[in-house]
Amino acid sequence: YFTDEATIRRKERHTAAMEALNRIYKAKIKPVEQAYKFSSFYASEISDGDFDSRPMVLLVGQYSVGKTSFIKYLLERDFPGQHIGPEPTTDRFLAVTHGRSERIVPGNAAAVDTNRPFQSLTKFGTAFLNRFEVSELPCPLLDSITLIDTPGILSGEKQRVERGYEFEDVVQWFAERSDRILILFDAHKLDISDELKRVIEVLKGHEDKIRIVLNKADSVAPQQLMRIYGALMWSLGKVVRSPEVMRVYLGSFWDQPLNPEGLGNADLFNAEKQDLLADLRALPRNSAVRKVNELIKRARLAKVHALLISHLWSKMPYLWGSKDKQKKLMGRLEDEYVKVQKMYNLAPGDFPNPEKLRAGLSVHNLSDFPKLSSRLIDVMDGGLTRDIPKLLSELRDDSETIGDEQNEIYGAIRPEDSASNPFAHTADFASGEQWVVDNNNKAKWDNLFYSLNPQGTPAALPGAGVRGVMLESGLPSDVLRKVWDLSDIDEDGKLDADEFALAMHLISQARIRGGESVPSELPPAYVPPSKRK
């Protein structure tokens, strides 16, 4: 999926849109932020790296819920800096990104790199940057998204003190810049600790990004899983104050076969996995619109902030008594909010938390701010009412174009379309039955195939070349032997690209449904089109 032509063209259009959005921000929004010191009250200034960054997926959860294993499962390989174990192993924030080679970039170096979106992390100090790393590796998935692994959350207050930085504030920083936030739970550990509760609370305002993952769900029987799901929703209901029910994905997201205890839910887990992967695939496509949406929210807050500061500035005395007057104004901010709202006809939801404004005013003197500049506000309004809607219109046209391109690549009628039609004609083998390996997986496994350096014409891999990949599945030797025999359709002791994709499909199915799911003979739909007679 992440390497097909439509996705590459979409990335090019996304880059052009982000360059235009960056120009709007620098010319029409940033001057207002700088004039009224917006970054010292709320979020830091947006850098070029923030606009150029890939969509981020933030993983949060208590220790040993499988966050790092989940990332390995998505990448289908190990990555630099990973530590997996039943004890609290990940003691740092780890950004897993695309790179030409495998390497670890220390946090202090990553935070000063203008090409990365991590520059504003410097405000959390050296104590945090020493606990932050960037893991780079070549991987098709990471060419479109960035994964953020976080330290496992414990329940003890001692851990919070010894971190040396505010964990919740760092999570909030990443949440503001993330396209998706995955909160992972272990089927055997549904309790929500105090620190996890605080983390969930700082995610307020990002409910649309949050998804819940109930991991290791294959370790319980179907009846127990139903009760565990109910208990999880009950626990979340006490913490998440939202009238909407959060989307929960059930499954076992790691690179091992399903536990025999949960094999009864194999079809459910497979369907949930496909839904989650589809959700992640959609992130790059929707990333541009999300960044536009975040910038609009930021601009509205910056406008309200400027009007508030200017209103409070107008109440200050000219000569003396400014400190006492500022203290009185800070004590009745809620009343001043109402005055500004009525004066400029603003929406109450655009106003910041009074405590945040008080905290910022405690380190600033109102007399140091400039008088309200109507010109700056008018220019920013012009960006919000003309430039950004025009950019959104272009993005909407692009999304329609992308749909047409995908139809050209995958065909106007998808396999699932005909499968859902009870009157659809079922193609037989001779007329070209749909191959069981879909286009998305074929592209993924082709990348893996060519990374193993196949030889000859057509390119093929001998048994020794694929042995390591097949053993990584964790399946028994007799199952792997059966997979090899079925996949080597030419019986030449080698696997070409199509045969290799078939082998990977059989292994994938066996890991989900068990070794008995591997057929004794290849059904017609399993035979690659290039091998059909």
Side-chain angles (χ1 to χ4, degrees):
Y1 172 83
F2 292 104
T3 56
D4 65 54
E5 295 180 11
T7 301
I8 293 172
R9 285 196 289 269
R10 188 263 312 151
K11 286 166 61 178
E12 293 173 351
R13 283 190 290 267
H14 175 273
T15 300
M18 289 303 97
E19 289 175 354
L21 191 64
N22 194 359
R23 289 193 295 270
I24 295 172
Y25 169 71
K26 287 181 176 179
K28 303 190 174 183
I29 300 173
K30 191 174 180 179
V32 176
E33 294 184 357
Q34 291 177 331
Y36 298 96
K37 300 178 174 62
F38 179 85
S39 60
S40 62
F41 285 80
Y42 310 104
S44 54
E45 291 183 1
I46 304 178
S47 66
D48 293 343
D50 290 316
F51 286 102
D52 299 336
S53 65
R54 300 176 180 90
M56 286 189 189
V57 179
L58 176 64
L59 285 83
V60 179
Q62 301 185 88
Y63 77 94
S64 193
V65 295
K67 297 186 296 297
T68 307
S69 297
F70 182 87
I71 293 176
K72 180 181 176 183
Y73 173 79
L74 289 179
L75 303 181
E76 297 185 324
R77 55 165 296 179
D78 293 334
F79 57 93
Q82 75 172 37
H83 299 286
I84 299 174
E87 73 283 0
T89 50
T90 303
D91 63 343
R92 61 194 63 221
F93 282 79
L94 186 67
V96 186
T97 67
H98 185 270
R100 295 182 179 178
S101 59
E102 295 187 14
R103 64 168 181 162
I104 290 286
V105 180
N108 287 282
V112 298
D113 189 344
T114 56
N115 295 320
R116 301 180 190 272
F118 306 122
Q119 286 180 277
S120 54
L121 284 174
T122 53
K123 69 179 183 179
F124 297 112
T126 306
F128 166 72
L129 292 177
N130 289 337
R131 294 288 181 180
F132 172 62
E133 292 178 345
V134 175
S135 173
E136 291 187 347
L137 67 155
C139 178
L141 174 69
L142 295 177
D143 197 31
S144 294
I145 63 175
T146 294
L147 302 168
I148 308 296
D149 196 6
T150 61
I153 298 173
L154 299 176
S155 57
E157 196 68 19
K158 179 181 178 182
Q159 181 206 25
R160 185 187 180 202
V161 174
E162 291 183 348
R163 277 202 168 114
Y165 61 90
E166 289 296 331
F167 181 76
E168 295 90 344
D169 291 345
V170 176
V171 171
Q172 185 177 27
W173 186 94
F174 279 106
E176 290 170 351
R177 290 157 176 79
S178 295
D179 294 69
R180 183 68 71 234
I181 302 170
L182 300 180
I183 305 178
L184 281 77
F185 287 89
D186 188 326
H188 295 286
K189 293 189 298 185
L190 299 180
D191 59 306
I192 297 179
S193 65
D194 292 340
E195 189 169 37
L196 180 56
K197 181 179 179 180
R198 289 191 293 268
V199 167
I200 294 176
E201 287 173 348
V202 302
L203 298 179
K204 184 178 180 181
H206 305 289
E207 289 84 359
D208 58 317
K209 303 178 184 178
I210 297 176
R211 301 291 185 270
I212 307 298
V213 177
L214 181 56
N215 201 13
K216 306 181 184 180
D218 63 332
S219 59
V220 296
Q223 186 178 16
Q224 290 176 305
L225 181 59
M226 180 181 65
R227 293 172 180 165
I228 288 171
Y229 177 81
L232 174 62
M233 300 307 292
W234 179 81
S235 298
L236 288 171
K238 296 171 65 178
V239 179
V240 181
R241 305 299 181 186
S242 173
E244 299 180 356
V245 178
M246 288 189 172
R247 177 66 168 95
V248 179
Y249 295 99
L250 310 174
S252 178
F253 299 97
W254 68 331
D255 56 357
Q256 298 298 318
L258 289 178
N259 190 312
E261 187 76 19
L263 280 178
N265 288 321
D267 292 336
L268 170 65
F269 295 152
N270 189 45
E272 291 286 284
K273 180 192 74 171
Q274 295 302 328
D275 285 351
L276 177 56
L277 293 179
D279 185 57
L280 296 179
R281 286 193 198 105
L283 294 181
R285 189 163 58 248
N286 301 326
S287 176
V289 177
R290 185 199 66 80
K291 288 183 178 179
V292 171
N293 181 60
E294 292 295 327
L295 187 63
I296 293 172
K297 289 196 296 184
R298 181 186 178 99
R300 292 170 70 94
L301 178 59
K303 177 182 177 179
V304 171
H305 172 73
L307 296 175
L308 275 171
I309 293 296
S310 298
H311 171 75
L312 296 175
W313 175 87
S314 67
K315 302 285 186 180
M316 296 294 288
Y318 287 102
L319 297 177
W320 52 78
S322 59
K323 287 187 178 179
D324 292 337
K325 184 62 175 179
Q326 180 167 332
K327 189 174 181 181
K328 289 179 181 178
L329 289 172
M330 288 171 61
R332 60 170 195 254
L333 277 181
E334 290 80 358
D335 296 334
E336 301 302 326
Y337 275 23
V338 175
K339 294 177 184 177
V340 174
Q341 179 190 342
K342 292 180 179 178
M343 190 183 308
Y344 296 101
N345 193 27
L346 300 171
D350 289 343
F351 282 76
N353 187 327
E355 295 304 321
K356 276 198 170 184
L357 186 58
R358 284 193 184 96
L361 288 174
S362 65
V363 295
H364 289 289
N365 190 338
L366 278 171
S367 301
D368 296 336
F369 287 93
K371 184 181 178 180
L372 179 66
S373 171
S374 299
R375 185 186 64 82
L376 283 179
I377 299 298
D378 290 343
V379 169
M380 185 167 70
D381 283 340
L384 290 174
T385 57
R386 292 191 300 272
D387 299 335
I388 290 182
K390 181 181 178 182
L391 181 59
L392 280 172
S393 177
E394 293 173 359
L395 289 173
R396 186 162 51 249
D397 293 341
D398 282 346
S399 67
E400 294 172 358
T401 304
I402 290 170
D404 295 339
E405 290 172 347
Q406 288 177 335
N407 280 341
E408 292 174 6
I409 291 175
Y410 300 122
I413 300 177
R414 310 286 178 89
E416 58 266 28
D417 294 336
S418 58
S420 62
N421 185 349
F423 303 102
H425 173 68
T426 303
D428 59 17
F429 178 72
S431 61
E433 188 169 354
Q434 181 70 36
W435 192 22
V436 71
V437 180
D438 60 29
N439 290 289
N440 294 347
N441 284 322
K442 182 65 166 66
K444 177 180 68 175
W445 288 322
D446 278 352
N447 286 336
L448 178 59
F449 175 78
Y450 288 107
S451 71
L452 298 174
N453 298 317
Q455 303 295 322
T457 305
L461 289 168
V466 297
R467 176 181 172 83
V469 175
M470 296 178 71
L471 286 175
E472 286 178 2
S473 67
L475 295 172
S477 297
D478 58 331
V479 174
L480 295 177
R481 188 180 307 113
K482 190 176 180 182
V483 167
W484 173 271
D485 290 339
L486 290 170
S487 303
D488 185 14
I489 298 173
D490 298 336
E491 297 182 355
D492 58 356
K494 300 177 182 178
L495 298 184
D496 60 23
D498 286 348
E499 291 172 330
F500 180 80
L502 173 61
M504 292 299 101
H505 174 79
L506 292 171
I507 288 174
S508 178
Q509 293 300 306
R511 287 170 59 185
I512 296 171
R513 297 188 173 90
E516 62 276 6
S517 66
V518 179
S520 301
E521 295 182 1
L522 278 185
Y526 280 63
V527 179
S530 62
K531 307 294 181 183
R532 298 178 183 179
K533 299 179 181 179

